[in-house]
Amino acid sequence: NLRAQFESELKQKLSQKSTAFVSEETVLQRSFKYFDLDNSGFVTYDEWTKAIEKIGVILPENLQLRRLFQDYDLDGSGELDYTEFSAMIFGADSQSGKRLSPKKGLQPREY
């Protein structure tokens, strides 16, 4: 499963970059904020791929990467809310998960 492999590698890379004082979730949020040039709280596909590369994840082929982005783009807007993305990676009990409305689902769209 591409998504499971991606999330496993992402968590591994985040773990390598985290410290006793900076959590994996914080590393992910900071990477996204770095590429969110307009400070909107969202990243486009291009910004997302740059953030993922910055973290050190080896990116799959473009078509697979686009599909992953679409899986995480819950509303189909073409942008990812990085709090929602972080909550999907780290779960509903994470800092990001707790910040989201309980009505918001953390599951990817089905095709």
Side-chain angles (χ1 to χ4, degrees):
N1 173 316
L2 179 64
R3 181 175 172 173
Q5 290 174 332
F6 169 77
E7 289 182 8
S8 176
E9 185 177 355
L10 178 61
K11 287 178 183 178
Q12 179 185 15
K13 296 297 183 180
L14 291 169
S15 177
Q16 292 170 358
K17 294 179 180 294
S18 65
T19 68
F21 305 105
V22 180
S23 72
E24 296 166 6
E25 189 173 357
T26 300
V27 172
L28 180 63
Q29 291 274 335
R30 286 180 181 171
S31 296
F32 273 57
K33 287 180 182 179
Y34 180 81
F35 289 102
D36 179 16
L37 299 179
D38 64 357
N39 207 22
S40 66
F42 298 90
V43 291
T44 63
Y45 173 77
D46 289 336
E47 292 168 332
W48 181 72
T49 58
K50 288 175 186 172
I52 297 302
E53 282 180 315
K54 182 179 192 296
I55 292 167
V57 173
I58 297 171
L59 300 176
E61 69 174 56
N62 197 35
L63 183 60
Q64 292 176 318
L65 192 60
R66 178 68 69 176
R67 180 67 183 256
L68 275 172
F69 181 84
Q70 290 170 345
D71 281 350
Y72 294 115
D73 182 11
L74 296 177
D75 63 1
S77 67
E79 296 181 316
L80 291 183
D81 174 319
Y82 46 80
T83 300
E84 284 183 350
F85 178 73
S86 183
M88 283 189 277
I89 298 297
F90 293 106
D93 290 332
S94 66
Q95 290 177 2
S96 296
K98 290 176 182 175
R99 279 186 254 152
L100 295 175
S101 162
K103 292 180 182 178
K104 283 202 173 192
L106 297 179
Q107 299 302 314
R109 292 180 293 145
E110 294 296 325
Y111 294 97

